[in-house]
Amino acid sequence: MTAATGDRLLLGDVAVGDELAPLSYPVTATTVVLGALAARDWRPMHHDKDFAVERNGTRDIFLNTPNQAAWFERFVTDWTGPYGRLQRMTFRMLGSIFPGDTMVFRGAVTGTGVDETGCGWVALDISVSVDGDAKTTCSARVALPVAADDNPWERGGERWKP
Amino acid sequence: MSAIGVDDIDRLIGVEQYEEEGGFPVEQGYVWTTCASVENGNPLFWDEQVAERVTGGPIAPPTMVSVWFRPHHWAPGRTTQGLPLQIHFDLKEGLGLPEAVMSDNTIVFHEPVRPGDRLVTRQILQSVSDEKTTKLGTGRFWVIDVVYRNQRGDLVAVESYTGFGYRRAGAPGGSEATS
């Protein structure tokens, strides 16, 4: 397990195989509705149980995809601290997450490196699961400082190759 | 909005379509609402001094980029709504594929999005497969990119969506079918 020292996780603090501290969260109807409205997703299957059951054939309302992206971002930056800068995320939706579920985020480092611009990066495999079943998986790449005076957020143009 | 048939595909690959401006500027209040919804305590979004030191001022969480394009639930005088990812629906119509699911999507992040920014998107059809049969039915996979730029023309993000449009073969679709 690695963790940021101070507010800055450095590339040198990380090795392939490191695991992020799991995040467990009990999902309620409020979680789902708040997440949908925060993402400006007004579709009824994210706030109307009757609609979700009768029209979508699901057992309840379920977390929408954009809000899951926000959960994954939070999970990654809890680990990196504010100097971690997301480069890319790929999501695969496998199943739905409902009120009453306890969702568990897990992640592991699958690669590290420094690109041709000198930007440090870490590749992560992340998942959110319920009762051991993965509901969404995410492969992510996040830039990390290579030294205490480095800041990936200062990169742009030709110096940012996400 | 026009159907995309088989004969239109080659002509439209790589072509930017459907320029759309977000209906409102990026706003701090929605940043806090989103952070609250996932209990994201990243000080970039809550502490002005940290934001100034790290990102040169406040930014929005990168994963919020699509949030700024979802229209208000109601607006005065509006009678119809454009569909997000219109090319997806053009393909379904033009190829005669009534059902569709999105299988995965990738977001690549570029310049940070800041409160007050006004973003513009364009959609680009990247590829359409030959007909394939899966457990859902027979249809085609396609990849559509949504390119996001700010009011200065800076690239802020590219989202790539992989969709599968199909005719049903008896099995029900995914939990978040877009049809």
Side-chain angles (χ1 to χ4, degrees):
Chain A
M1 208 87 75
T2 53
T5 51
D7 62 356
R8 200 177 310 210
L9 181 68
L10 301 179
L11 182 66
D13 299 330
V14 179
V16 172
D18 285 355
E19 294 185 358
L20 283 64
L23 169 66
S24 179
Y25 193 87
V27 176
T28 66
T30 303
T31 315
V32 175
V33 174
L34 177 59
L37 299 190
R40 304 177 57 83
D41 187 341
W42 326 118
R43 293 179 299 167
M45 60 278 214
H46 303 305
H47 63 258
D48 182 339
K49 182 174 180 177
D50 288 345
F51 184 97
V53 170
E54 292 165 16
R55 297 281 296 276
N56 288 86
T58 53
R59 68 172 159 89
D60 206 332
I61 57 175
F62 50 93
L63 272 188
N64 76 335
T65 303
N67 192 239
Q68 288 191 43
W71 275 105
F72 279 111
E73 176 176 352
R74 176 245 161 129
F75 181 60
V76 171
T77 56
D78 275 1
W79 177 63
T80 64
Y83 286 87
R85 180 179 176 186
L86 284 168
Q87 294 194 307
R88 57 175 58 222
M89 303 174 96
T90 296
F91 301 96
R92 177 151 293 185
M93 273 62 77
L94 305 170
S96 300
I97 298 172
F98 302 106
D101 288 344
T102 295
M103 60 179 179
V104 180
F105 291 84
R106 297 179 191 282
V109 175
T110 58
T112 67
V114 177
D115 71 17
E116 73 267 26
T117 72
C119 181
W121 58 267
V122 172
L124 301 167
D125 273 354
I126 316 168
S127 66
V128 56
S129 59
V130 175
D131 295 331
D133 290 334
K135 300 300 183 183
T136 303
T137 60
C138 172
S139 50
R141 206 167 90 147
V142 58
L144 290 183
V146 295
D149 59 354
D150 182 28
N151 178 4
W153 290 104
E154 292 175 350
R155 294 177 167 275
E158 291 302 308
R159 295 181 63 245
W160 181 246
K161 304 281 190 186
Chain B
M1 300 175 196
S2 55
I4 298 175
V6 172
D7 295 339
D8 302 314
I9 291 172
D10 284 349
R11 176 175 59 82
L12 290 174
I13 295 284
V15 175
E16 293 193 350
Q17 300 187 74
Y18 296 120
E19 178 176 314
E20 183 190 0
E21 186 174 344
F24 54 95
V26 173
E27 58 178 270
Q28 182 68 56
Y30 251 100
V31 168
W32 286 325
T33 301
T34 292
C35 289
S37 77
V38 298
E39 301 182 12
N40 183 350
N42 188 336
L44 283 183
F45 312 122
W46 299 98
D47 184 325
E48 287 182 15
Q49 290 181 333
V50 173
E52 189 61 42
R53 187 173 76 243
V54 179
T55 53
I59 65 167
T63 56
M64 284 188 74
V65 67
S66 65
V67 170
W68 314 113
F69 285 87
R70 296 199 187 93
H72 299 304
H73 188 56
W74 175 90
R78 188 175 67 202
T79 53
T80 59
Q81 264 185 45
L83 292 169
L85 223 55
Q86 181 64 47
I87 291 175
H88 173 82
F89 295 93
D90 293 348
L91 286 163
K92 285 181 63 185
E93 182 183 348
L95 299 174
L97 301 171
E99 313 293 337
V101 293
M102 306 306 287
S103 61
D104 60 40
N105 82 306
T106 296
I107 318 176
V108 181
F109 305 103
H110 293 271
E111 285 297 305
V113 173
R114 298 178 185 276
D117 279 358
R118 298 207 68 127
L119 303 186
V120 174
T121 61
R122 295 178 183 84
Q123 301 173 32
I124 305 172
L125 178 61
Q126 293 293 7
S127 64
V128 180
S129 77
D130 293 333
E131 280 216 338
K132 297 183 186 301
T133 298
T134 73
K135 64 181 181 183
L136 292 174
T138 298
R140 294 172 187 263
F141 288 91
W142 48 70
V143 176
I144 301 166
D145 281 357
V146 180
V147 178
Y148 295 81
R149 291 190 176 84
N150 63 20
Q151 66 277 17
R152 293 177 296 280
D154 301 326
L155 182 64
V156 299
V158 179
E159 274 194 285
S160 296
Y161 290 91
T162 301
F164 179 60
Y166 63 98
R167 289 177 293 277
R168 202 181 288 266
S175 62
E176 211 164 359
T178 56
S179 56

